[in-house]
Amino acid sequence: MNNRTGSFLWNLRQLSTLVPTGRTMRLYPLAFCRPNIAYSNWNRRNLLNIFDNKMQSSIRYLFQDALIFKSRGDGCQTKGISTVTVFIVDKLLCPRRLSVDSKHFLASDNELKKSFHQEASDEDVLTKRRKPTLINSRKLSQECNSLSDVLDIFSKAPTFPSSNYFSAMWTVAKRMSEDQKRFEKQLMFNHPAFSQLCEQVMREAKIMYFDNLLFSLHAIVKLGIPQNTLLVQTLLRVVQERINECDEKCLSVLSTILNTMEPCKNVDVLLAGMRMLVDEQVWKIKHVFTLQTIMRSIGKDAPIGLKRKLEMKALKELDQFSVLNCQHMFAVLAAMNYRSVILLNECSKRVTSNIHGCPFKILINILQSCRDLQYINIDLFKGIADYVATTFDIWKLKKVLFLLILFENFGFRPVGLMDLFIKKAADESGFLNVKSLVCILNVYSSLNHFYKCQTHEFLGVMASALTGSLHHISSENLLNAVCSFCWMNHFPLALINQLLQKDIIDDLLTSGDVERNAHRLHVVAACLKLDDTPCHEDLDLVLPRLPPAPSCPQPKVAAALSDLLGEGRFSPSVRLPHNYFIDFEIRMDNNRSQVLPFSDVDVVTSTDIQRVAVLCVPKSAYCLDSTHPKGYLAMKMRHLKIMGFHVILVNNWEVEKLQMKDAVAFLKTKIYSPKALSAADTHLQSTC
């Protein structure tokens, strides 16, 4: 008997040493059970192999396939979750020889095994009875027609995971119109099961799969649940704790969530964590869509090193880019405020070569992104303008106007498209509101675009349309419209008379952008005095003085003029009435064949001289990729001619490229008349 007892106790000691770890199961009140398993490096098969070498040939199995339950403390945790530790023993080996005295123990061993198997089968039956059927969010969204239907199903039989209900509600909401969606959201907030669902999601946040957690957070944000609620902030904290579980799919969903959320403490912390994770895993990203989604959400203030790493990854995957990827790349780079010229150039080529069929919204997004990134690509702009001009009849007038406004921001003048727009705008001016009319005038005056003989007719139609809305137009819009007309040398009397009312002038000089309004009023006053407008020759507006126009010294041009004309034969930085400024003034005879010294000439009384204004012009004064002057430069040239000047334009960027000798020769051809130069060449040849 003592031998039997000793053998049994020895077997129990061996069993306790052979089971070094446990399997923890959490039991939940909704009758679902999901194990949270912590594995060690213990390998049962290796352990058995070690014991196999030490044992003798005669062995037996003790407690085969038995389950031993060990309580952990009082077996209770917070939030209604109890914990038990389940040890699984599978064919554990005990190195003992069988003896005759062991037969009785073997019989009791068989009875013990039957008892354990009976308890396990009873537990399985109980679990099957309590475990509900899992619900798929897709199936749920197909069965329901409203958000309340989803909540009704939840209230009848809640199932795990509860994230499926929010995902289903967002899927249902996407099928609704905006008005219906607004009404259904109000019903959702007032539904009695809504708060219960929110509580259930918060309880399950730490145990549900990480992708389910992210999908539920995405659906919650999209459904319009306020960001400062306990539900949203709790899920954000849990995502922070579990962010290391992110794979590529989860990173994409997380990026989408952060794109739609407003900055707050938890969002900022989560964004910082995602940046660290992306920095480590960027080379493991396989899909271009995921890469672009991450780049879009990484933030404008992300470290420059991370932005460069993402740029290198995008360049590496450039061969995998589809046309749609190339179209979206502009907005992606604008979202992270990173101007990758190489990437933009490559995407521009793909977009231009596949421009036909491109949605208008994408064209607008591309141009907006180029504006934000200060990226200019003439071929891209021409490709978009030509495509819209070719398909002009299928687009609404306001869409094309939006495109022209973006082109004007770049100073790009699409001649063909603007000619087509003039014709259609003149025919459909009645369908345009005041804001659209003012924008049209601003675009055409800024780019100084005229269409043959139809420009005067077009301006007349625009003026008539604005006159019909004269009592509804704001003071600032009225000023902008009249200023645009003045730039284009057109003066609608009704609009001008309305603008010159004392109350409107006072309103413009005391509200809004006062400095800009004052400058525009000075432009209007100069045009009314200098241009052919007899109705306002006696105009005497009392306007605040403007700061003097900035002078931009041009040392190379000054040195070239000194070599060509000599000292005292030109005057730099000349200021004129109406706040005009010219870089250099030269006085010549009427034939522009001889330069006169300033000391010997009275410019006011003499009628035998020609005043020459030399304007050093930057590239920004011209339309993009052309020498067509923009509106303000064209108006200034017109007014200088009225004041008696002969205007010479000297392009700064061209002079800077020339050697001094070539610069002198260049200015000589600009200043002297062709007839004088021809006579000088003839005289030079005769003397030789």
Side-chain angles (χ1 to χ4, degrees):
M1 185 67 181
N2 291 335
N3 291 336
R4 295 175 183 175
T5 304
S7 175
F8 178 75
L9 293 177
W10 190 90
N11 285 330
L12 287 179
R13 283 196 300 270
Q14 294 297 320
L15 177 63
S16 64
T17 60
L18 289 176
V19 186
T21 185
R23 175 173 178 173
T24 303
M25 250 183 217
R26 292 182 177 181
L27 303 179
Y28 302 93
L30 291 181
F32 55 81
C33 178
R34 183 168 181 174
N36 184 12
I37 308 171
Y39 294 101
S40 67
N41 293 327
W42 176 65
N43 189 316
R44 186 171 55 193
R45 180 171 296 180
N46 293 341
L47 185 62
L48 295 181
N49 292 336
I50 295 173
F51 273 93
D52 223 10
N53 297 330
K54 296 183 179 180
M55 288 190 304
Q56 299 177 7
S57 59
S58 177
I59 59 175
R60 71 181 179 126
Y61 299 96
L62 179 64
F63 299 148
Q64 181 174 350
D65 295 328
L67 292 177
I68 301 177
F69 291 79
K70 178 182 178 183
S71 299
R72 179 177 293 178
D74 56 358
C76 296
Q77 289 185 350
T78 60
K79 299 183 181 180
I81 301 175
S82 61
T83 304
V84 293
T85 302
V86 184
F87 291 111
I88 299 179
V89 185
D90 186 12
K91 299 182 181 180
L92 297 177
L93 302 180
C94 297
R96 276 293 207 186
R97 284 185 178 273
L98 288 175
S99 62
V100 177
D101 297 333
S102 301
K103 293 179 181 179
H104 298 285
F105 174 75
L106 189 59
S108 61
D109 184 19
N110 292 333
E111 293 177 359
L112 183 61
K113 286 167 61 179
K114 291 180 181 179
S115 175
F116 271 111
H117 283 303
Q118 182 65 31
E119 291 179 5
S121 62
D122 293 343
E123 184 70 20
D124 291 340
V125 172
L126 179 61
T127 302
K128 289 179 181 179
R129 288 177 180 174
R130 297 178 60 193
K131 187 175 181 180
T133 305
L134 296 179
I135 289 186
N136 184 276
S137 61
R138 181 180 299 178
K139 182 179 179 182
L140 190 60
S141 63
Q142 292 172 350
E143 295 174 353
C144 300
N145 296 320
S146 67
L147 308 185
S148 299
D149 291 345
V150 179
L151 291 172
D152 290 340
I153 294 176
F154 169 77
S155 62
K156 293 177 183 177
T159 60
F160 179 84
S162 54
S163 60
N164 286 334
Y165 295 99
F166 275 116
S167 299
M169 283 194 289
W170 170 235
T171 304
V172 172
K174 286 191 291 185
R175 301 195 296 257
M176 300 177 179
S177 64
E178 289 300 322
D179 293 337
Q180 185 182 4
K181 192 183 299 182
R182 194 179 303 110
F183 178 72
E184 285 291 336
K185 285 181 181 179
Q186 192 61 41
L187 293 179
M188 176 189 73
F189 289 131
N190 296 330
H191 197 284
F194 179 71
S195 58
Q196 180 187 354
L197 176 59
C198 294
E199 292 174 2
Q200 191 65 34
V201 169
M202 287 190 288
R203 282 197 299 267
E204 297 174 4
K206 291 190 176 182
I207 61 169
M208 68 173 65
Y209 285 121
F210 191 63
D211 56 349
N212 286 340
L213 173 62
L214 291 178
F215 282 128
S216 62
L217 179 58
H218 176 261
I220 287 168
V221 172
K222 287 293 188 179
L223 285 170
I225 297 176
Q227 188 172 314
N228 59 351
T229 55
L230 178 62
L231 171 64
V232 176
Q233 296 299 318
T234 300
L235 296 184
L236 287 173
R237 291 294 300 272
V238 176
V239 173
Q240 293 172 22
E241 296 171 4
R242 301 178 58 184
I243 194 170
N244 286 331
E245 300 178 35
C246 263
D247 55 10
E248 184 175 335
K249 177 183 176 182
C250 293
L251 269 177
S252 178
V253 179
L254 180 58
S255 301
T256 305
I257 293 171
L258 294 177
N259 271 334
T260 57
M261 299 192 75
E262 296 294 329
C264 69
K265 186 175 180 180
N266 279 326
V267 170
D268 294 342
V269 172
L270 188 56
L271 178 60
M274 192 190 76
R275 287 174 179 172
M276 296 173 62
L277 196 65
V278 170
D279 190 58
E280 295 176 357
Q281 299 185 6
V282 62
W283 304 113
K284 300 178 182 178
I285 298 174
K286 298 179 180 179
H287 299 90
V288 176
F289 176 79
T290 303
L291 177 64
Q292 289 186 329
T293 305
I294 292 171
M295 293 173 71
R296 190 189 295 270
S297 67
I298 208 67
K300 295 183 177 182
D301 58 341
I304 190 65
L306 178 58
K307 292 181 180 180
R308 287 175 180 168
K309 191 176 288 188
L310 289 168
E311 176 194 17
M312 293 172 63
K313 175 63 177 178
L315 290 172
K316 184 180 179 182
E317 301 293 333
L318 198 57
D319 293 339
Q320 307 299 323
F321 275 29
S322 64
V323 175
L324 189 61
N325 294 141
C326 293
Q327 293 169 349
H328 288 166
M329 200 68 218
F330 293 87
V332 168
L333 291 173
M336 61 187 292
N337 193 27
Y338 188 71
R339 186 171 175 263
S340 173
V341 177
I342 300 176
L343 202 52
L344 289 169
N345 287 343
E346 293 298 323
C347 290
S348 296
K349 294 177 183 176
R350 294 280 297 278
V351 169
T352 306
S353 59
N354 297 274
I355 193 71
H356 292 282
C358 182
F360 204 90
K361 183 179 180 180
I362 291 182
L363 297 178
I364 295 295
N365 289 338
I366 289 173
L367 292 177
Q368 287 177 328
S369 301
C370 290
R371 179 196 60 194
D372 297 339
L373 294 170
Q374 298 181 352
Y375 171 73
I376 294 176
N377 190 307
I378 303 298
D379 293 333
L380 175 65
F381 296 165
K382 287 182 179 178
I384 294 176
D386 292 343
Y387 168 65
V388 176
T390 303
T391 57
F392 186 80
D393 293 333
I394 69 174
W395 306 116
K396 292 183 178 180
L397 202 62
K398 289 187 177 180
K399 286 187 176 182
V400 181
L401 174 60
F402 196 22
L403 195 73
L404 291 177
I405 292 172
L406 291 172
F407 280 143
E408 188 271 332
N409 291 335
F410 296 105
F412 178 66
R413 177 173 166 255
V415 177
L417 182 60
M418 296 184 76
D419 289 344
L420 289 172
F421 188 86
I422 279 183
K423 297 178 183 178
K424 193 167 184 179
D427 295 337
E428 301 182 9
S429 59
F431 298 98
L432 298 171
N433 56 26
V434 171
K435 184 178 179 181
S436 298
L437 293 170
V438 173
C439 289
I440 292 171
L441 291 172
N442 178 67
V443 169
Y444 278 80
S445 63
S446 175
L447 297 176
N448 188 31
H449 183 80
F450 299 93
Y451 178 57
K452 301 176 183 177
C453 60
Q454 293 191 11
T455 299
H456 187 75
E457 178 186 351
F458 164 71
L459 294 176
V461 171
M462 295 291 107
S464 299
L466 283 173
T467 303
S469 306
L470 197 57
H471 298 289
H472 306 288
I473 189 172
S474 66
S475 300
E476 191 167 350
N477 278 336
L478 179 61
L479 174 61
N480 292 335
V482 172
C483 189
S484 297
F485 278 121
C486 291
W487 279 21
M488 293 187 286
N489 200 21
H490 187 79
F491 304 97
L493 294 181
L495 297 176
I496 293 173
N497 290 331
Q498 180 72 14
L499 175 65
L500 297 180
Q501 298 294 323
K502 187 178 183 301
D503 56 339
I504 292 182
I505 297 293
D506 293 340
D507 181 43
L508 290 169
L509 295 178
T510 55
S511 62
D513 192 343
V514 176
E515 183 177 349
R516 180 175 177 272
N517 292 342
H519 181 269
R520 286 184 168 254
L521 284 172
H522 274 280
V523 169
V524 173
C527 290
L528 295 179
K529 286 185 177 181
L530 295 174
D531 288 310
D532 187 15
T533 55
C535 294
H536 295 281
E537 288 181 350
D538 57 345
L539 178 67
D540 188 18
L541 283 176
V542 180
L543 299 174
R545 292 190 62 182
L546 294 177
S551 59
C552 302
Q554 301 295 330
K556 192 167 185 179
V557 177
L561 288 174
S562 296
D563 291 347
L564 176 63
L565 307 177
E567 294 295 336
R569 302 258 176 174
F570 63 93
S571 176
S573 303
V574 179
R575 299 191 181 277
L576 301 172
H578 307 294
N579 205 43
Y580 281 131
F581 168 85
I582 58 178
D583 296 281
F584 302 97
E585 180 185 353
I586 304 171
R587 295 177 183 176
M588 307 179 71
D589 63 346
N590 285 333
N591 296 325
R592 286 174 45 220
S593 60
Q594 183 181 0
V595 177
L596 305 176
F598 271 66
S599 57
D600 297 341
V601 179
D602 185 356
V603 70
V604 177
T605 60
S606 176
T607 58
D608 297 330
I609 68 166
Q610 173 67 63
R611 301 177 72 184
V612 178
V614 179
L615 303 181
C616 298
V617 184
K619 256 186 178 180
S620 58
Y622 295 105
C623 292
L624 189 64
D625 195 40
S626 72
T627 55
H628 182 78
K630 289 184 178 179
Y632 182 76
L633 178 58
M635 181 188 67
K636 182 177 180 180
M637 293 169 63
R638 185 175 76 239
H639 287 172
L640 289 176
K641 289 177 182 177
I642 293 172
M643 287 189 233
F645 283 92
H646 173 76
V647 181
I648 296 174
L649 300 181
V650 177
N651 299 331
N652 291 340
W653 70 95
E654 292 180 353
V655 174
E656 291 299 327
K657 296 177 182 178
L658 299 175
Q659 298 294 330
M660 184 58 68
K661 180 181 178 181
D662 298 328
V664 171
F666 172 76
L667 291 175
K668 184 178 180 179
T669 59
K670 288 279 189 178
I671 295 171
Y672 291 99
S673 65
K675 185 177 179 181
L677 291 175
S678 177
D681 292 340
T682 303
H683 177 71
L684 180 63
Q685 291 175 4
S686 63
T687 56
C688 294

